[in-house]
Amino acid sequence: MNNIIYIYMVLVCFIASYNYVKKYSPSRIDMLNPYLLISLLFFSILCGVRYAVGVDYISYYDCYVNSVKFSNNFAHMERGWSYISEYMAKSGFHFSIYFGMIAGLQYYFVTKAFNKVSKLLPWGVIVFFLMGEFLLFLNVLRQAIVVACFLYIVMAKPNIKIWKFLLISVLLFFIHKTAIIMIVFLPFIKYKGRLNIKPKLLSIVYIFCVIFGLKSNVLLGVLSNPFILGIIGGSEYASYINDPTKILGGTNVQLGLGYALICIVNILTILFFKQLTIKFPKYNDCFKWFYIWYVGLCINALTPNSIIVSRLTMFLTIFSIPVYALILRNSVGVKVNKLNERIIGLFVFCSMWIIFMFTYILKPQLTTNWHFFWDYIYI
């Protein structure tokens, strides 16, 4: 059963990052350290040799292997990415190197994001795999690179100069046009204050969004705008305008056990997180991570299972990685005096594993089933 590969990836990357933090107690993340370098190479190689894993894989694969015979195969993509892809293909690089490079860049920036909070790294790695961000990264390949860069900037470079941020956004725009959205979030990065909103109120608002999202198409008018669709992914999404199920994920979404479990985990995190900002004062920006994640969480709740919305909110929900990492570090990674903190943390941790097992192992979707290219292609 090839899907057992997912478990190997989680364990190898977590154990490597955990041993790195425990042995070296680093103040910064050194990707050339043997532990992290091995995990990066392991991740990149496995993702490189996969086949038909991820919704967009086949389209990337066809463009890449056929670009040797035909020109402008990547013309529908951004110019920067098109140039890189065409160059690698015509230079004779095997497609596994191409996909490995994409995965390596994604994982590199996610790992480097913990530069200022290195003790959170192993828990951030495990959240990356267990809570679905990894699955998104397998599906939206070049946008995931941009999103990972955004996570890195917010977490590791909070004092970045505005002109540098704008320049990076423009450069990333040539990888995926959603990079333009980063400019909208610039105030989040530069905001230095603390919002003192009661966790109970935040949880009530989130519950309202969940309930309302199961019954209403509240964002249909906004998201049907061709300009919005163009920013998200280009002309290939124009056909979604007349298909509300692809824009909003369906008009009557069923509340299954998996979705209910995720909602419970989110509510507990919302109620519990403010205590952690007091307990770990050295993590100065953790409140910023939380509110960015919370906004994305509520938007997604209003439009559950939406393809289009999830593309927009990736820049927000990616901060579930540091948010949940802090929860796990508090309850699993260090000694906890309060029993309720330990129970909540263990519940969140166990819930993550349950979600992971059902998503990747027990009931995977067709494009989640793991395949190696040598089982299908003789090259």
Side-chain angles (χ1 to χ4, degrees):
M1 184 179 181
N2 285 343
N3 281 20
I4 201 73
I5 288 294
Y6 289 115
I7 296 179
Y8 291 146
M9 293 178 75
V10 175
L11 294 179
V12 169
C13 292
F14 171 74
I15 291 171
S17 59
Y18 182 83
N19 285 332
Y20 167 69
V21 170
K22 186 175 182 180
K23 184 175 181 179
Y24 296 97
S25 298
S27 58
R28 299 174 65 85
I29 301 298
D30 178 15
M31 294 303 296
L32 294 179
N33 180 276
Y35 285 110
L36 297 188
L37 189 58
I38 288 173
S39 65
L40 175 63
L41 291 175
F42 182 78
F43 181 86
S44 301
I45 291 171
L46 278 182
C47 289
V49 299
R50 78 188 193 272
Y51 180 75
V53 182
V55 173
D56 290 345
Y57 181 94
I58 294 298
S59 63
Y60 276 80
Y61 169 80
D62 287 341
C63 287
Y64 190 83
V65 298
N66 291 325
S67 61
V68 177
K69 301 177 182 178
F70 308 102
S71 299
N72 299 321
N73 258 25
F74 291 93
H76 62 288
M77 296 184 183
E78 290 73 12
R79 183 168 297 181
W81 188 259
S82 175
Y83 175 80
I84 294 171
S85 302
E86 292 275 358
Y87 175 80
M88 291 186 67
K90 293 185 183 301
S91 297
F93 288 99
H94 193 267
F95 64 84
S96 62
I97 298 176
Y98 177 68
F99 286 106
M101 177 201 71
I102 295 173
L105 287 171
Q106 295 171 349
Y107 190 76
Y108 174 85
F109 283 111
V110 169
T111 304
K112 284 291 286 183
F114 290 87
N115 220 22
K116 290 181 175 293
V117 287
S118 57
K119 290 185 177 180
L120 288 181
L121 175 61
W123 309 108
V125 167
I126 205 166
V127 171
F128 170 69
F129 285 104
L130 298 190
M131 286 303 286
E133 296 303 329
F134 173 52
L135 185 60
L136 272 177
F137 276 40
L138 288 176
N139 285 288
V140 288
L141 302 182
R142 65 191 194 278
Q143 184 183 350
I145 296 174
V146 175
V147 170
C149 286
F150 180 66
L151 178 72
Y152 167 71
I153 293 171
V154 175
M155 290 185 63
K157 302 289 183 181
N159 298 318
I160 188 172
K161 295 183 182 299
I162 293 178
W163 70 267
K164 287 184 178 180
F165 179 82
L166 295 176
L167 177 61
I168 293 172
S169 300
V170 171
L171 293 175
L172 290 175
F173 180 81
F174 290 100
I175 294 178
H176 198 274
K177 59 176 61 68
T178 52
I180 200 69
I181 299 175
M182 291 171 55
I183 299 175
V184 177
F185 299 136
L186 183 59
F188 280 106
I189 301 175
K190 292 300 179 182
Y191 183 70
K192 301 294 183 182
R194 286 178 176 266
L195 295 174
N196 190 22
I197 304 177
K198 293 183 178 181
K200 289 184 179 179
L201 177 60
L202 292 173
S203 62
I204 291 172
V205 171
Y206 171 66
I207 293 171
F208 171 80
C209 290
V210 170
I211 296 173
F212 195 69
L214 294 174
K215 302 296 182 182
S216 174
N217 289 337
V218 63
L219 296 180
L220 180 59
V222 176
L223 295 171
S224 295
N225 189 297
F227 175 74
I228 299 296
L229 291 173
I231 291 177
I232 296 169
S235 59
E236 64 264 32
Y237 290 96
S239 62
Y240 288 9
I241 296 176
N242 297 319
D243 191 345
T245 61
K246 290 182 178 178
I247 295 177
L248 294 175
T251 55
N252 292 299
V253 178
Q254 297 298 317
L255 181 61
L257 291 177
Y259 188 64
L261 184 59
I262 292 173
C263 291
I264 293 171
V265 169
N266 290 335
I267 292 169
L268 290 175
T269 302
I270 293 168
L271 292 172
F272 186 52
F273 195 80
K274 187 175 181 180
Q275 299 178 34
L276 300 185
T277 62
I278 299 172
K279 187 172 183 178
F280 296 97
K282 64 179 180 179
Y283 297 149
N284 298 326
D285 290 330
C286 60
F287 76 94
K288 186 186 299 183
W289 312 334
F290 172 79
Y291 282 110
I292 295 176
W293 166 74
Y294 177 78
V295 172
L297 190 70
C298 289
I299 295 174
N300 278 355
L302 287 171
T303 56
N305 298 329
S306 166
I307 296 173
I308 297 297
V309 176
S310 64
R311 285 218 147 192
L312 281 171
T313 57
M314 273 186 72
F315 289 92
L316 304 174
T317 56
I318 190 67
F319 288 88
S320 65
I321 296 176
V323 168
Y324 286 125
L326 194 56
I327 294 285
L328 295 185
R329 170 165 163 71
N330 175 68
S331 55
V332 182
V334 298
K335 292 182 179 180
V336 180
N337 295 323
K338 294 182 179 179
L339 181 61
N340 66 323
E341 291 184 14
R342 176 72 72 181
I343 293 174
I344 291 174
L346 289 175
F347 175 80
V348 170
F349 188 58
C350 293
S351 298
M352 288 180 179
W353 272 106
I354 292 172
I355 295 167
F356 170 82
M357 292 299 293
F358 271 92
T359 302
Y360 296 96
I361 310 298
L362 300 178
K363 291 187 176 181
Q365 296 179 359
L366 182 62
T367 54
T368 307
N369 285 316
W370 194 274
H371 309 286
F372 293 105
F373 76 81
W374 51 75
D375 292 330
Y376 296 86
I377 304 169
Y378 299 98
I379 295 179

